[in-house]
Amino acid sequence: METYGNSHKKQKLSNAAESWGKQRATNVTYQAHHVSRNKRGQVVGTRGGFRGCTVWLTGLSGAGKTTVSMALEEYLVCHGIPCYTLDGDNIRQGLNKNLGFSPEDREENIRRIAEVARLFADAGLVCIASFISPYSRDRLNARKIHEAAGLPFFEVFVDAPLDVCEQRDVKGLYKRARAGEIRGFTGIDSEYEKPEAPELVLKTDSCSVNESIQQLIDLLQERDIVPVDASYEVKELYVQENKLDLAKADAETLPAVQIGKVDMQWVQVLAEGWATPLNGFMREREYLQCLHFDCLLDGGVINLSVPVVLPVSTADKERLDGATAMALVYEGRRVAILRNPEFYEHRKEERCARQWGTTCKDHPYIKMVMESGDWLVGGDLQVLDRIYWNDGLDQYRLTPTELKQKFKEMNADAVFAFQLRNPVHNGHALLMQDTHKRLIERGYRRPVLLLHPLGGWTKDDDVPLPWRMKQHAAVLEEGVLNPDSTIVAIFPSPMMYAGPTEVQWHCRARMVAGANFYIVGRDPAGMPHPDTGKDLYEPTHGAKVLTMAPGLITLEIVPFKVAAYNKVKRAMDFYDPKNHQDYDFISGTRMRKMAREGENPPDGFMAPKAWAVLKEYYKSLEKA
């Protein structure tokens, strides 16, 4: 945003401290970057090829330059493209703090910025320059500076009518200019010279931020700055509607393999695109990459830490060996076709040792693995119909594509995901509320929470999904979480209790669905060791691993703050070790014991209606 001095007389520039105060801009506000320095550092050099260029955003104050520039920066960094935004207000607080708003100072302001942008571009970054830059001559000079260095320069006119900009007027500068308090204000009493031949025009009065970003990405892809594969789409594996009848007829003629409920849950995970870019159950090459590197390596590093595999018996393997396709049958219904199958040995002990870090046969998922088939079969999956479980919860089973559409409809500019398999207490809510607050402070306007309980198989002593969903609904009903900025949906994956290995899967699946922040808690995907009762995984390792995990660059990890019940405040609070005596750490075991015995927790631990649901669940167990 600009602020203008009273004099248009050219003054001699000086770096002397006493001259700064004479021309210093005052009505400028620092624009917070959405991308942290730590996040930016993770992606520098992750994609081959030089991409240095400058995207120069020009337009009236209030046209949306800063909003678009910060959103574009975030998009590029999250897709592995090193990028930095030079914003007008930010520059005038440092490099150009000794410049005012006379025509001469404006010219020098843009000249300096153009030179700095050239340096950024020369370093291989996409430099986004967000400046009113009202004079055509100055913008042309900026272009020539880049052309002389052999660097691409893209002029983008952020075009919004003056009346729209005045209506937006977040900082009240137009109002002050109309009142005569600010003179030389562009669009009011100082001319803005519209670009005659910009590379792109963004009509921000009629298109959304996301639509503007897509237009910019299209431009950068056309000019070979952004690779097309930097924004791969969700890969759903459902048969197209116009080919469905033919596929179903084909399925009836194929040899069949019976699959169980957990296998069917993995079919749903694949069909809906959570495991993008897999084409089906893992072939041996993909399986080995997953098992040894926690990633797929063909076509770039893509985090995928858990095997998505289909075990079959030796008898099935011998019966189907040589078949070019097979039908997968669940509860008597042919649900999918697996084409071009590849059989390979299911080395169960090695798989368990690598995936779980233990081969304890009393671990509930390991037990299932050890009892499953001695062979794995991979292949290209074609799923015939949308998968429904008819349990009254199917409306919550939103696919990644549907979730992305929901976020778009809510005008979300940030999505933070919270994975859970337990009831929500006020400590969880405190963390989610705090994350929302921090995102607002970072410049986001409409952060949306994805409350995303796991909906696949869980061990017997976990609270079943229907009761958890009922409890989550009560939390929203009581206003502990804001229903207007929260989406509750079900993640269809089975729970594996594989600690830091599995938490990468939970995180990357939400990344596919459009989340760009992920809240990770204490001991994610962990459980007590079946033999010793101690933590199977070190409780802090899940969060630490996520901050280092390869292939998760489109997500920023939000570390879990320790929350406990503050006996003085009579509420859940972030733990302060200086006042340890004020806190009561109510464990999950203790919480379940209170619910089973019909007791109430301390006031402020959990929303009363949500606690009543838990008590009702444990009471139902007694009746059973």
Side-chain angles (χ1 to χ4, degrees), residues 340-391:
N340 305 313
E342 175 190 348
F343 293 92
Y344 53 101
E345 186 180 357
H346 191 188
R347 297 179 61 83
K348 302 173 189 177
E349 186 176 29
E350 180 188 0
R351 174 188 170 184
C352 294
R354 292 189 180 279
Q355 185 174 348
W356 283 274
T358 180
T359 57
C360 176
K361 294 181 180 179
D362 290 327
H363 183 291
Y365 205 101
I366 290 177
K367 185 173 186 292
M368 289 196 296
V369 169
M370 300 305 290
E371 293 173 354
S372 68
D374 293 333
W375 296 88
L376 298 175
V377 58
D380 300 331
L381 191 67
Q382 296 178 318
V383 182
L384 301 178
D385 287 306
R386 176 104 185 226
I387 295 168
Y388 295 106
W389 297 94
N390 300 313
D391 57 358

Short mmCIF file of all heavy atoms in Angstrom, two decimals, residues 340-391:
data_model
loop_
_atom_site.label_atom_id
_atom_site.label_comp_id
_atom_site.label_asym_id
_atom_site.label_seq_id
_atom_site.Cartn_x
_atom_site.Cartn_y
_atom_site.Cartn_z
N ASN A 340 -3.60 -56.97 -15.49
CA ASN A 340 -2.16 -57.19 -15.61
C ASN A 340 -1.52 -57.48 -14.25
O ASN A 340 -0.59 -56.79 -13.82
CB ASN A 340 -1.48 -55.98 -16.25
CG ASN A 340 -2.10 -55.61 -17.59
OD1 ASN A 340 -2.31 -56.48 -18.43
ND2 ASN A 340 -2.41 -54.33 -17.78
N PRO A 341 -2.03 -58.51 -13.57
CA PRO A 341 -1.56 -58.79 -12.21
C PRO A 341 -0.11 -59.25 -12.17
O PRO A 341 0.40 -59.88 -13.09
CB PRO A 341 -2.51 -59.89 -11.73
CG PRO A 341 -2.96 -60.56 -12.98
CD PRO A 341 -3.05 -59.48 -14.02
N GLU A 342 0.54 -58.91 -11.07
CA GLU A 342 1.92 -59.33 -10.81
C GLU A 342 1.97 -59.94 -9.41
O GLU A 342 1.66 -59.27 -8.42
CB GLU A 342 2.87 -58.14 -10.91
CG GLU A 342 4.31 -58.47 -10.53
CD GLU A 342 5.19 -57.24 -10.41
OE1 GLU A 342 4.76 -56.14 -10.82
OE2 GLU A 342 6.31 -57.38 -9.88
N PHE A 343 2.35 -61.22 -9.32
CA PHE A 343 2.45 -61.90 -8.04
C PHE A 343 3.90 -61.84 -7.54
O PHE A 343 4.84 -62.01 -8.31
CB PHE A 343 2.01 -63.36 -8.17
CG PHE A 343 0.55 -63.54 -8.49
CD1 PHE A 343 0.12 -63.63 -9.81
CD2 PHE A 343 -0.39 -63.61 -7.48
CE1 PHE A 343 -1.21 -63.80 -10.11
CE2 PHE A 343 -1.74 -63.78 -7.76
CZ PHE A 343 -2.15 -63.87 -9.08
N TYR A 344 4.05 -61.63 -6.24
CA TYR A 344 5.38 -61.68 -5.63
C TYR A 344 5.24 -62.11 -4.17
O TYR A 344 4.17 -61.99 -3.56
CB TYR A 344 6.12 -60.35 -5.77
CG TYR A 344 5.37 -59.13 -5.27
CD1 TYR A 344 5.65 -58.57 -4.02
CD2 TYR A 344 4.39 -58.50 -6.06
CE1 TYR A 344 4.99 -57.44 -3.58
CE2 TYR A 344 3.72 -57.37 -5.62
CZ TYR A 344 4.02 -56.85 -4.38
OH TYR A 344 3.35 -55.73 -3.92
N GLU A 345 6.33 -62.60 -3.64
CA GLU A 345 6.29 -63.23 -2.32
C GLU A 345 5.98 -62.21 -1.22
O GLU A 345 6.50 -61.10 -1.21
CB GLU A 345 7.63 -63.91 -2.00
CG GLU A 345 7.63 -64.71 -0.71
CD GLU A 345 8.96 -65.37 -0.43
OE1 GLU A 345 9.88 -65.26 -1.27
OE2 GLU A 345 9.09 -66.00 0.64
N HIS A 346 5.10 -62.62 -0.32
CA HIS A 346 4.74 -61.80 0.84
C HIS A 346 5.65 -62.20 2.00
O HIS A 346 5.32 -63.09 2.78
CB HIS A 346 3.27 -62.01 1.21
CG HIS A 346 2.74 -61.02 2.22
ND1 HIS A 346 1.49 -61.15 2.79
CD2 HIS A 346 3.28 -59.90 2.77
CE1 HIS A 346 1.29 -60.16 3.63
NE2 HIS A 346 2.36 -59.39 3.64
N ARG A 347 6.78 -61.54 2.09
CA ARG A 347 7.75 -61.85 3.16
C ARG A 347 7.28 -61.11 4.41
O ARG A 347 7.66 -59.97 4.69
CB ARG A 347 9.14 -61.44 2.74
CG ARG A 347 9.64 -62.21 1.50
CD ARG A 347 11.03 -61.77 1.08
NE ARG A 347 12.02 -62.01 2.12
CZ ARG A 347 12.62 -63.18 2.33
NH1 ARG A 347 12.34 -64.24 1.57
NH2 ARG A 347 13.50 -63.32 3.30
N LYS A 348 6.45 -61.78 5.18
CA LYS A 348 5.68 -61.12 6.25
C LYS A 348 6.55 -60.60 7.39
O LYS A 348 6.37 -59.47 7.85
CB LYS A 348 4.63 -62.09 6.80
CG LYS A 348 3.67 -62.61 5.73
CD LYS A 348 2.77 -63.69 6.32
CE LYS A 348 1.96 -64.37 5.24
NZ LYS A 348 1.14 -65.46 5.79
N GLU A 349 7.50 -61.41 7.83
CA GLU A 349 8.32 -60.98 8.96
C GLU A 349 9.15 -59.75 8.58
O GLU A 349 9.25 -58.79 9.35
CB GLU A 349 9.24 -62.12 9.41
CG GLU A 349 10.02 -61.77 10.68
CD GLU A 349 10.85 -62.95 11.18
OE1 GLU A 349 11.27 -63.78 10.35
OE2 GLU A 349 11.08 -63.02 12.39
N GLU A 350 9.74 -59.79 7.37
CA GLU A 350 10.52 -58.64 6.92
C GLU A 350 9.63 -57.41 6.79
O GLU A 350 10.01 -56.30 7.20
CB GLU A 350 11.19 -58.93 5.58
CG GLU A 350 12.01 -57.76 5.07
CD GLU A 350 12.53 -57.95 3.65
OE1 GLU A 350 12.27 -59.01 3.06
OE2 GLU A 350 13.19 -57.02 3.15
N ARG A 351 8.44 -57.58 6.22
CA ARG A 351 7.52 -56.45 6.09
C ARG A 351 7.20 -55.85 7.46
O ARG A 351 7.26 -54.62 7.64
CB ARG A 351 6.22 -56.89 5.40
CG ARG A 351 5.16 -55.80 5.38
CD ARG A 351 3.81 -56.30 4.88
NE ARG A 351 2.78 -55.29 5.08
CZ ARG A 351 1.49 -55.46 4.83
NH1 ARG A 351 1.06 -56.62 4.34
NH2 ARG A 351 0.62 -54.49 5.05
N CYS A 352 6.88 -56.69 8.41
CA CYS A 352 6.51 -56.20 9.74
C CYS A 352 7.69 -55.50 10.42
O CYS A 352 7.52 -54.45 11.06
CB CYS A 352 5.98 -57.33 10.61
SG CYS A 352 4.42 -58.03 10.02
N ALA A 353 8.87 -56.08 10.29
CA ALA A 353 10.05 -55.48 10.92
C ALA A 353 10.30 -54.09 10.37
O ALA A 353 10.67 -53.17 11.11
CB ALA A 353 11.26 -56.37 10.68
N ARG A 354 10.09 -53.92 9.06
CA ARG A 354 10.36 -52.62 8.45
C ARG A 354 9.20 -51.64 8.67
O ARG A 354 9.42 -50.46 8.94
CB ARG A 354 10.64 -52.79 6.95
CG ARG A 354 11.94 -53.50 6.68
CD ARG A 354 12.30 -53.46 5.20
NE ARG A 354 13.56 -54.16 4.94
CZ ARG A 354 14.76 -53.64 5.13
NH1 ARG A 354 14.88 -52.41 5.59
NH2 ARG A 354 15.85 -54.33 4.87
N GLN A 355 7.98 -52.11 8.56
CA GLN A 355 6.83 -51.20 8.67
C GLN A 355 6.54 -50.82 10.11
O GLN A 355 6.20 -49.66 10.38
CB GLN A 355 5.59 -51.84 8.03
CG GLN A 355 4.37 -50.92 7.99
CD GLN A 355 3.20 -51.51 7.22
OE1 GLN A 355 3.35 -52.52 6.52
NE2 GLN A 355 2.02 -50.91 7.34
N TRP A 356 6.65 -51.76 11.03
CA TRP A 356 6.30 -51.49 12.43
C TRP A 356 7.50 -51.40 13.36
O TRP A 356 7.35 -50.94 14.49
CB TRP A 356 5.35 -52.58 12.95
CG TRP A 356 3.95 -52.43 12.47
CD1 TRP A 356 2.97 -51.66 13.04
CD2 TRP A 356 3.36 -53.04 11.31
NE1 TRP A 356 1.81 -51.76 12.32
CE2 TRP A 356 2.01 -52.60 11.25
CE3 TRP A 356 3.81 -53.92 10.34
CZ2 TRP A 356 1.13 -53.01 10.25
CZ3 TRP A 356 2.95 -54.32 9.34
CH2 TRP A 356 1.63 -53.87 9.29
N GLY A 357 8.66 -51.88 12.91
CA GLY A 357 9.82 -51.89 13.80
C GLY A 357 9.72 -52.97 14.85
O GLY A 357 10.47 -52.98 15.83
N THR A 358 8.79 -53.89 14.68
CA THR A 358 8.63 -55.02 15.60
C THR A 358 7.94 -56.16 14.84
O THR A 358 7.26 -55.91 13.83
CB THR A 358 7.78 -54.63 16.83
OG1 THR A 358 7.64 -55.78 17.69
CG2 THR A 358 6.38 -54.18 16.44
N THR A 359 8.12 -57.36 15.32
CA THR A 359 7.41 -58.50 14.74
C THR A 359 6.52 -59.16 15.79
O THR A 359 6.14 -60.33 15.64
CB THR A 359 8.42 -59.53 14.18
OG1 THR A 359 9.31 -59.94 15.22
CG2 THR A 359 9.22 -58.95 13.01
N CYS A 360 6.18 -58.41 16.81
CA CYS A 360 5.34 -58.94 17.89
C CYS A 360 3.99 -59.40 17.32
O CYS A 360 3.22 -58.60 16.79
CB CYS A 360 5.13 -57.86 18.94
SG CYS A 360 4.01 -58.36 20.27
N LYS A 361 3.71 -60.68 17.44
CA LYS A 361 2.51 -61.24 16.82
C LYS A 361 1.23 -60.87 17.55
O LYS A 361 0.13 -61.15 17.05
CB LYS A 361 2.65 -62.76 16.72
CG LYS A 361 3.77 -63.19 15.77
CD LYS A 361 3.89 -64.69 15.64
CE LYS A 361 5.02 -65.07 14.69
NZ LYS A 361 5.18 -66.54 14.57
N ASP A 362 1.35 -60.25 18.73
CA ASP A 362 0.16 -59.80 19.44
C ASP A 362 -0.24 -58.37 19.06
O ASP A 362 -1.26 -57.87 19.53
CB ASP A 362 0.40 -59.88 20.96
CG ASP A 362 0.46 -61.33 21.43
OD1 ASP A 362 -0.25 -62.17 20.85
OD2 ASP A 362 1.23 -61.60 22.38
N HIS A 363 0.59 -57.73 18.25
CA HIS A 363 0.19 -56.42 17.70
C HIS A 363 -1.00 -56.69 16.78
O HIS A 363 -0.94 -57.55 15.90
CB HIS A 363 1.36 -55.81 16.93
CG HIS A 363 1.08 -54.45 16.37
ND1 HIS A 363 0.19 -54.23 15.34
CD2 HIS A 363 1.59 -53.22 16.69
CE1 HIS A 363 0.16 -52.94 15.05
NE2 HIS A 363 1.00 -52.31 15.86
N PRO A 364 -2.12 -55.96 16.92
CA PRO A 364 -3.35 -56.33 16.21
C PRO A 364 -3.24 -56.34 14.69
O PRO A 364 -3.80 -57.23 14.04
CB PRO A 364 -4.37 -55.30 16.70
CG PRO A 364 -3.57 -54.18 17.26
CD PRO A 364 -2.31 -54.78 17.79
N TYR A 365 -2.54 -55.37 14.09
CA TYR A 365 -2.44 -55.38 12.63
C TYR A 365 -1.40 -56.39 12.16
O TYR A 365 -1.58 -57.06 11.14
CB TYR A 365 -2.13 -53.99 12.09
CG TYR A 365 -2.61 -53.80 10.65
CD1 TYR A 365 -3.78 -53.11 10.38
CD2 TYR A 365 -1.90 -54.32 9.57
CE1 TYR A 365 -4.24 -52.93 9.07
CE2 TYR A 365 -2.34 -54.15 8.27
CZ TYR A 365 -3.52 -53.47 8.02
OH TYR A 365 -3.97 -53.32 6.73
N ILE A 366 -0.31 -56.51 12.91
CA ILE A 366 0.70 -57.51 12.56
C ILE A 366 0.08 -58.90 12.59
O ILE A 366 0.37 -59.75 11.73
CB ILE A 366 1.91 -57.43 13.52
CG1 ILE A 366 2.69 -56.13 13.25
CG2 ILE A 366 2.82 -58.65 13.37
CD1 ILE A 366 3.87 -55.91 14.18
N LYS A 367 -0.81 -59.13 13.55
CA LYS A 367 -1.50 -60.42 13.63
C LYS A 367 -2.27 -60.70 12.34
O LYS A 367 -2.24 -61.81 11.81
CB LYS A 367 -2.46 -60.41 14.83
CG LYS A 367 -3.15 -61.73 15.11
CD LYS A 367 -3.95 -61.62 16.41
CE LYS A 367 -4.53 -62.98 16.80
NZ LYS A 367 -5.57 -63.44 15.88
N MET A 368 -2.93 -59.66 11.80
CA MET A 368 -3.66 -59.83 10.54
C MET A 368 -2.70 -60.12 9.38
O MET A 368 -2.99 -60.95 8.51
CB MET A 368 -4.50 -58.58 10.23
CG MET A 368 -5.69 -58.40 11.16
SD MET A 368 -6.90 -57.21 10.50
CE MET A 368 -5.94 -55.71 10.49
N VAL A 369 -1.57 -59.44 9.38
CA VAL A 369 -0.59 -59.66 8.31
C VAL A 369 -0.07 -61.09 8.36
O VAL A 369 0.00 -61.79 7.32
CB VAL A 369 0.59 -58.66 8.42
CG1 VAL A 369 1.74 -59.07 7.49
CG2 VAL A 369 0.13 -57.25 8.11
N MET A 370 0.27 -61.55 9.54
CA MET A 370 0.85 -62.89 9.67
C MET A 370 -0.16 -63.98 9.30
O MET A 370 0.22 -65.07 8.87
CB MET A 370 1.36 -63.12 11.09
CG MET A 370 2.46 -62.13 11.52
SD MET A 370 3.89 -62.08 10.41
CE MET A 370 4.64 -63.67 10.74
N GLU A 371 -1.45 -63.67 9.45
CA GLU A 371 -2.49 -64.65 9.12
C GLU A 371 -2.97 -64.53 7.66
O GLU A 371 -3.79 -65.32 7.21
CB GLU A 371 -3.69 -64.47 10.06
CG GLU A 371 -3.38 -64.83 11.52
CD GLU A 371 -4.52 -64.49 12.46
OE1 GLU A 371 -5.51 -63.86 12.00
OE2 GLU A 371 -4.42 -64.83 13.67
N SER A 372 -2.44 -63.54 6.93
CA SER A 372 -2.89 -63.31 5.55
C SER A 372 -2.12 -64.19 4.58
O SER A 372 -1.25 -64.99 4.96
CB SER A 372 -2.72 -61.83 5.19
OG SER A 372 -1.35 -61.48 5.12
N GLY A 373 -2.41 -64.04 3.29
CA GLY A 373 -1.83 -64.88 2.26
C GLY A 373 -0.32 -64.75 2.14
O GLY A 373 0.28 -63.73 2.52
N ASP A 374 0.31 -65.80 1.58
CA ASP A 374 1.76 -65.84 1.44
C ASP A 374 2.25 -65.13 0.18
O ASP A 374 3.46 -65.10 -0.09
CB ASP A 374 2.25 -67.30 1.40
CG ASP A 374 2.03 -68.00 2.75
OD1 ASP A 374 2.02 -67.30 3.78
OD2 ASP A 374 1.87 -69.23 2.76
N TRP A 375 1.33 -64.56 -0.59
CA TRP A 375 1.69 -63.85 -1.82
C TRP A 375 1.00 -62.50 -1.85
O TRP A 375 -0.06 -62.32 -1.24
CB TRP A 375 1.29 -64.67 -3.07
CG TRP A 375 2.04 -65.96 -3.15
CD1 TRP A 375 1.68 -67.16 -2.59
CD2 TRP A 375 3.30 -66.18 -3.78
NE1 TRP A 375 2.63 -68.11 -2.84
CE2 TRP A 375 3.64 -67.54 -3.58
CE3 TRP A 375 4.17 -65.37 -4.53
CZ2 TRP A 375 4.81 -68.10 -4.08
CZ3 TRP A 375 5.34 -65.92 -5.03
CH2 TRP A 375 5.65 -67.27 -4.81
N LEU A 376 1.62 -61.56 -2.53
CA LEU A 376 0.99 -60.27 -2.79
C LEU A 376 0.75 -60.17 -4.29
O LEU A 376 1.56 -60.67 -5.09
CB LEU A 376 1.89 -59.12 -2.33
CG LEU A 376 2.21 -59.07 -0.84
CD1 LEU A 376 3.21 -57.95 -0.54
CD2 LEU A 376 0.94 -58.88 0.00
N VAL A 377 -0.36 -59.55 -4.65
CA VAL A 377 -0.65 -59.35 -6.07
C VAL A 377 -0.88 -57.87 -6.32
O VAL A 377 -1.70 -57.22 -5.66
CB VAL A 377 -1.85 -60.19 -6.55
CG1 VAL A 377 -3.12 -59.89 -5.77
CG2 VAL A 377 -2.07 -60.00 -8.05
N GLY A 378 -0.10 -57.32 -7.25
CA GLY A 378 -0.27 -55.94 -7.65
C GLY A 378 -0.85 -55.85 -9.04
O GLY A 378 -0.88 -56.85 -9.77
N GLY A 379 -1.32 -54.70 -9.42
CA GLY A 379 -1.89 -54.53 -10.76
C GLY A 379 -2.69 -53.26 -10.88
O GLY A 379 -2.83 -52.50 -9.92
N ASP A 380 -3.21 -53.04 -12.06
CA ASP A 380 -4.01 -51.84 -12.33
C ASP A 380 -5.45 -52.09 -11.91
O ASP A 380 -6.09 -53.05 -12.37
CB ASP A 380 -3.95 -51.49 -13.82
CG ASP A 380 -2.52 -51.22 -14.28
OD1 ASP A 380 -1.71 -50.77 -13.44
OD2 ASP A 380 -2.21 -51.48 -15.46
N LEU A 381 -5.96 -51.20 -11.05
CA LEU A 381 -7.28 -51.40 -10.44
C LEU A 381 -8.34 -50.57 -11.15
O LEU A 381 -8.14 -49.38 -11.41
CB LEU A 381 -7.22 -51.02 -8.96
CG LEU A 381 -8.42 -51.39 -8.09
CD1 LEU A 381 -8.54 -52.90 -7.94
CD2 LEU A 381 -8.31 -50.73 -6.71
N GLN A 382 -9.45 -51.21 -11.46
CA GLN A 382 -10.63 -50.52 -11.98
C GLN A 382 -11.80 -50.84 -11.06
O GLN A 382 -12.24 -51.98 -10.98
CB GLN A 382 -10.95 -50.99 -13.41
CG GLN A 382 -9.87 -50.66 -14.43
CD GLN A 382 -10.22 -51.19 -15.82
OE1 GLN A 382 -10.70 -52.31 -15.97
NE2 GLN A 382 -9.98 -50.38 -16.84
N VAL A 383 -12.27 -49.82 -10.35
CA VAL A 383 -13.35 -50.02 -9.37
C VAL A 383 -14.67 -49.70 -10.04
O VAL A 383 -14.83 -48.66 -10.69
CB VAL A 383 -13.12 -49.13 -8.13
CG1 VAL A 383 -14.22 -49.37 -7.10
CG2 VAL A 383 -11.74 -49.45 -7.52
N LEU A 384 -15.64 -50.60 -9.88
CA LEU A 384 -16.86 -50.54 -10.69
C LEU A 384 -17.88 -49.54 -10.19
O LEU A 384 -18.54 -48.87 -10.99
CB LEU A 384 -17.47 -51.95 -10.76
CG LEU A 384 -16.54 -53.02 -11.37
CD1 LEU A 384 -17.23 -54.38 -11.35
CD2 LEU A 384 -16.14 -52.64 -12.79
N ASP A 385 -18.07 -49.42 -8.90
CA ASP A 385 -19.07 -48.51 -8.36
C ASP A 385 -18.52 -47.78 -7.15
O ASP A 385 -17.62 -48.28 -6.47
CB ASP A 385 -20.34 -49.27 -7.95
CG ASP A 385 -21.15 -49.75 -9.15
OD1 ASP A 385 -21.48 -48.91 -10.01
OD2 ASP A 385 -21.45 -50.96 -9.22
N ARG A 386 -19.09 -46.62 -6.88
CA ARG A 386 -18.74 -45.90 -5.66
C ARG A 386 -19.01 -46.81 -4.46
O ARG A 386 -20.02 -47.53 -4.41
CB ARG A 386 -19.57 -44.63 -5.56
CG ARG A 386 -19.38 -43.84 -4.27
CD ARG A 386 -18.55 -42.64 -4.47
NE ARG A 386 -18.27 -41.94 -3.21
CZ ARG A 386 -18.38 -40.64 -3.04
NH1 ARG A 386 -18.78 -39.87 -4.05
NH2 ARG A 386 -18.06 -40.07 -1.90
N ILE A 387 -18.10 -46.78 -3.50
CA ILE A 387 -18.19 -47.69 -2.36
C ILE A 387 -18.99 -47.04 -1.24
O ILE A 387 -18.66 -45.95 -0.77
CB ILE A 387 -16.79 -48.09 -1.88
CG1 ILE A 387 -16.08 -48.89 -2.98
CG2 ILE A 387 -16.85 -48.89 -0.58
CD1 ILE A 387 -14.61 -49.09 -2.76
N TYR A 388 -20.06 -47.73 -0.84
CA TYR A 388 -20.89 -47.28 0.28
C TYR A 388 -20.95 -48.40 1.32
O TYR A 388 -20.97 -49.58 0.99
CB TYR A 388 -22.32 -46.95 -0.19
CG TYR A 388 -22.39 -45.78 -1.15
CD1 TYR A 388 -22.61 -45.99 -2.51
CD2 TYR A 388 -22.24 -44.48 -0.69
CE1 TYR A 388 -22.68 -44.91 -3.40
CE2 TYR A 388 -22.31 -43.39 -1.57
CZ TYR A 388 -22.53 -43.62 -2.92
OH TYR A 388 -22.59 -42.56 -3.78
N TRP A 389 -21.00 -47.98 2.59
CA TRP A 389 -21.06 -48.96 3.68
C TRP A 389 -22.44 -49.03 4.30
O TRP A 389 -22.72 -49.90 5.13
CB TRP A 389 -20.00 -48.62 4.74
CG TRP A 389 -18.61 -48.71 4.17
CD1 TRP A 389 -17.87 -47.71 3.65
CD2 TRP A 389 -17.82 -49.90 4.03
NE1 TRP A 389 -16.66 -48.17 3.20
CE2 TRP A 389 -16.60 -49.52 3.43
CE3 TRP A 389 -18.03 -51.24 4.34
CZ2 TRP A 389 -15.59 -50.44 3.13
CZ3 TRP A 389 -17.01 -52.15 4.07
CH2 TRP A 389 -15.81 -51.75 3.47
N ASN A 390 -23.33 -48.10 3.92
CA ASN A 390 -24.73 -48.12 4.37
C ASN A 390 -24.86 -48.22 5.89
O ASN A 390 -25.65 -48.99 6.43
CB ASN A 390 -25.47 -49.29 3.69
CG ASN A 390 -25.46 -49.15 2.18
OD1 ASN A 390 -25.73 -48.08 1.65
ND2 ASN A 390 -25.13 -50.23 1.48
N ASP A 391 -24.04 -47.42 6.58
CA ASP A 391 -24.05 -47.41 8.04
C ASP A 391 -24.55 -46.08 8.59
O ASP A 391 -24.38 -45.78 9.78
CB ASP A 391 -22.64 -47.69 8.57
CG ASP A 391 -21.59 -46.70 8.03
OD1 ASP A 391 -21.97 -45.83 7.21
OD2 ASP A 391 -20.42 -46.81 8.42
#
